[in-house]
Amino acid sequence: MNAPPQPHDSTYPARPANGSRPQPPSALLRWAVRHFRKPEGFWGGVAGWIMATRPSNLERNRWTVDLLDVRPADWVLEIGFGPGVALGWLAERASQGVVVGIDHSELMLRRAARRNAEAVAAGRIALQLGALERMPDLGTGFDKIMAVNVAMFWQDPPAQLGALRERLRPGGRIALTIQPRARGATDADARRIGETLLQQVRAAGYREASLALRPMQPVAAVCVLARR
């Protein structure tokens, strides 16, 4: 089949130029994806170190934070915060608000807490282990929500997008960024993935949905921006 992969396909196989069937991901690639999806143990620690230091990771996270336009009093939610690099940038901007992070990796929660220890101690960053579906009601909606290279792992994008929409205040903004990392991925693949996610966001009832593209190495990143 030549249908484009959906955003929840974790390996994002690039479309071959000759139109032939994409090759299935190798065992090594599946192993690597598993450790980046939920870092655990020694190799999960290596994945976390890569996420915290690789220039492309830092660039796409900073870009996403910039696109969100976080204000001082905002309540912000980050889904899948990993080693917690973006949490610190969000907290700097939401200086009078609160930044909440949720991630299903206990290892990443420990690292993010250590990286942002001062803000956590001050109550400006709150971290939770688990899934969005089990996140407690905080009594208020979020002004901003972001997720970077997370939507690719969703098994049911409409359900995830609906759950996130319910967490936003009316007029609140969401930013979903993806940079495909599969071998051979191209800028065209990134745009195609972004367009598919954009359609899903619109179908989930968000408004003012748009797609931004950032030229990067080794492949462009895309971000879907929308409001509740």
Side-chain angles (χ1 to χ4, degrees), residues 66-227:
D66 289 343
L67 289 172
L68 266 181
D69 190 26
V70 175
R71 304 301 175 88
D74 279 351
W75 279 58
V76 187
L77 172 64
E78 182 179 8
I79 307 296
F81 53 75
V85 174
L87 290 171
W89 296 333
L90 292 169
E92 288 175 0
R93 300 190 180 206
S95 56
Q96 302 165 36
V98 176
V99 176
V100 177
I102 185 166
D103 198 293
H104 59 186
S105 168
E106 185 175 355
L107 174 60
M108 291 298 98
L109 187 145
R110 293 197 303 269
R111 291 200 176 183
R114 186 165 61 246
R115 179 182 299 276
N116 299 284
E118 184 176 341
V120 170
R124 295 195 301 111
I125 291 180
L127 304 180
Q128 179 174 334
L129 179 68
L132 176 67
E133 293 80 1
R134 294 189 293 274
M135 184 176 173
D137 185 355
L138 301 178
T140 183
F142 290 96
D143 300 287
K144 308 286 168 56
I145 295 178
M146 70 171 276
V148 176
N149 270 20
V150 170
M152 55 177 45
F153 295 119
W154 290 345
Q155 296 302 309
D156 187 356
Q160 295 287 351
L161 289 168
L164 290 174
R165 186 176 181 277
E166 290 303 310
R167 294 286 181 171
L168 274 175
R169 290 176 177 170
R173 199 175 200 195
I174 189 170
L176 304 173
T177 295
I178 295 176
Q179 184 187 24
R181 303 299 301 185
R183 183 175 58 187
T186 66
D187 290 357
D189 293 315
R191 181 174 288 280
R192 177 168 47 84
I193 290 164
E195 292 286 355
T196 300
L197 183 56
L198 179 64
Q199 293 171 13
Q200 293 174 334
V201 164
R202 287 172 172 163
Y206 292 84
R207 59 189 182 86
E208 298 180 25
S210 62
L211 181 66
L213 185 142
R214 183 176 181 88
M216 290 178 57
Q217 295 297 326
V219 64
V222 291
C223 180
V224 173
L225 294 158
R227 293 188 184 275

